[in-house]
Amino acid sequence: MSAEVVPPEVAGAEVAEPKTHRVKRRLTSRGATVAALVIALVWTIPTFGIFVSSFRPAELIQDTGWWTIFQNPGFTLDNYKDVLLSPSQSSPQLGAYFVNSLAIAIPATIFPLTFASMAAYAFAWMRFKGVGVLFIVVFALQIVPLQMALVPLLQFFSTWLKPGQQWLHDIIPIIPEQNYLPVWIAHTIFGLPLAIFLLHNFISEIPNEVIEAARVDGASHGQIFFRIVLPLAVPAIASVAIFQFLWVWNDLLVALIFSGGTQDVAPLTQRLAELVGSRGQEWHRLTAGAFVSLVIPLIVFFSLQRYFVRGLLAGSTKG
């Protein structure tokens, strides 16, 4: 008499639940949902406060809190008018600084992602002497404080980069003497260690059979990277791009030091810091300027959000 065959779905104790299902079940549980709602509420309240304050007159902002809007009603567009349209020196327009921030943030995001993706592929799939030690060194660079590298980079730029900038300006006058090149290089250097680490975790999880099949077909490392690895790594690259862009967009220290603080290359964050006034007496304009500065980061995040969770969980749900 043959033994009865028990379907796998019946023998639940004998069939292991896939790891992807366990992760999905945990992320969609009631506790995770409540925690996500609480975190979203905590992060949204200050943003909502800035939004309300940006439409309140200066006298109400200085005397009452934004949460008393119903007891002390009052709305005005003067804050946005002063920030966006006023030509006065005390509250200059943000347009030029807005363009400067875009000119800094976009290349300072593309450059480290380009170099980091190639380096991550090399660490994951190219075998050469000392690859493990070199990867540990790159990973350890994340713990180096940013402030420790400012003086050496300034010395390097003053000795080698500034003469080159002057030479390019003499040959091609259309290129300004003060340009964004030092800021791009600085942000690229500071962003590479973390970007390489995150992208390496994703690229190393690509099935070995896919890479070996391409090698058997005679594909070179360049062909494997551009035709196979790069398309598969889009979610991870988009996730790292969000972090890098937001960090560069909100940065003040690096851009202020390496741009020189002049109006033609200074970022939006510098103007936001100046909007509050020398004694903090005009921070009603700061609320309007800060909310204007949120527009681009929100556009970037919502444009890439579909890749965000996939990129963060990449490599953690294998099996």
Side-chain angles (χ1 to χ4, degrees):
M1 182 176 180
S2 60
E4 183 179 358
V5 178
V6 180
E9 59 271 14
V10 176
E14 300 178 4
V15 180
E17 182 184 11
K19 187 175 181 180
T20 54
H21 293 177
R22 295 199 303 270
V23 173
K24 183 178 180 180
R25 178 164 50 82
R26 292 172 183 173
L27 292 178
T28 56
S29 63
R30 181 174 299 178
T33 302
V34 173
L37 291 176
V38 171
I39 294 174
L41 182 63
V42 171
W43 280 95
T44 303
I45 288 177
T47 305
F48 181 74
I50 294 176
F51 178 74
V52 172
S53 299
S54 66
F55 290 101
R56 306 191 74 198
E59 56 273 9
L60 288 180
I61 290 180
Q62 295 173 359
D63 297 336
T64 61
W66 63 268
W67 54 87
T68 64
I69 185 66
F70 296 105
Q71 289 81 12
N72 303 280
F75 296 94
T76 181
L77 295 176
D78 291 342
N79 298 335
Y80 286 94
K81 182 180 178 181
D82 292 342
V83 168
L84 296 175
L85 303 178
S86 175
S88 66
Q89 188 65 25
S90 60
S91 56
Q93 301 180 20
L94 293 181
Y97 298 93
F98 206 89
V99 174
N100 290 343
S101 288
L102 286 176
I104 292 174
I106 294 177
T109 301
I110 295 176
F111 293 157
L113 286 179
T114 302
F115 297 135
S117 58
M118 292 187 289
Y121 170 79
F123 285 127
W125 295 106
M126 296 177 67
R127 297 295 175 259
F128 52 90
K129 186 176 181 180
V131 59
V133 176
L134 184 59
F135 179 74
I136 293 176
V137 171
V138 172
F139 174 75
L141 289 175
Q142 298 180 62
I143 66 175
V144 177
L146 176 68
Q147 294 78 5
M148 290 184 60
L150 296 180
V151 174
L153 276 179
L154 279 174
Q155 293 176 344
F156 170 78
F157 290 157
S158 300
T159 304
W160 301 100
L161 192 61
K162 192 172 182 179
Q165 289 179 276
Q166 182 64 42
W167 178 74
L168 286 176
H169 175 70
D170 295 338
I171 295 179
I172 309 176
I174 194 175
I175 299 179
E177 185 176 353
Q178 290 286 341
N179 53 49
Y180 305 108
L181 188 58
V183 187
W184 293 342
I185 296 176
H187 278 303
T188 300
I189 293 174
F190 296 139
L192 273 176
L194 180 60
I196 292 175
F197 174 72
L198 295 177
L199 292 178
H200 172 270
N201 290 345
F202 182 92
I203 293 176
S204 62
E205 293 293 343
I206 296 176
N208 184 61
E209 293 78 7
V210 177
I211 306 298
E212 290 300 329
R215 289 174 179 171
V216 170
D217 291 339
S220 63
H221 283 295
Q223 292 172 327
I224 295 174
F225 175 74
F226 287 106
R227 297 184 181 181
I228 297 177
V229 173
L230 205 57
L232 293 176
V234 167
I237 293 176
S239 300
V240 178
I242 292 176
F243 286 117
Q244 179 69 13
F245 184 89
L246 294 181
W247 177 60
V248 176
W249 182 267
N250 294 322
D251 170 74
L252 174 62
L253 178 63
V254 174
L256 185 60
I257 291 178
F258 294 105
S259 69
T262 57
Q263 184 175 352
D264 52 343
V265 293
L268 182 62
T269 49
Q270 176 184 333
R271 179 51 58 195
L272 292 179
E274 296 172 352
L275 283 176
V276 72
S278 59
R279 295 179 297 277
Q281 73 278 11
E282 298 179 351
W283 72 275
H284 57 282
R285 294 193 179 99
L286 178 62
T287 58
F291 205 81
V292 170
S293 69
L294 292 176
V295 175
I296 296 298
L298 288 177
I299 293 175
V300 171
F301 179 79
F302 286 116
S303 300
L304 302 177
Q305 65 161 337
R306 60 175 178 166
Y307 300 109
F308 187 66
V309 176
R310 291 167 54 190
L312 290 182
L313 296 180
S316 64
T317 58
K318 186 178 180 180

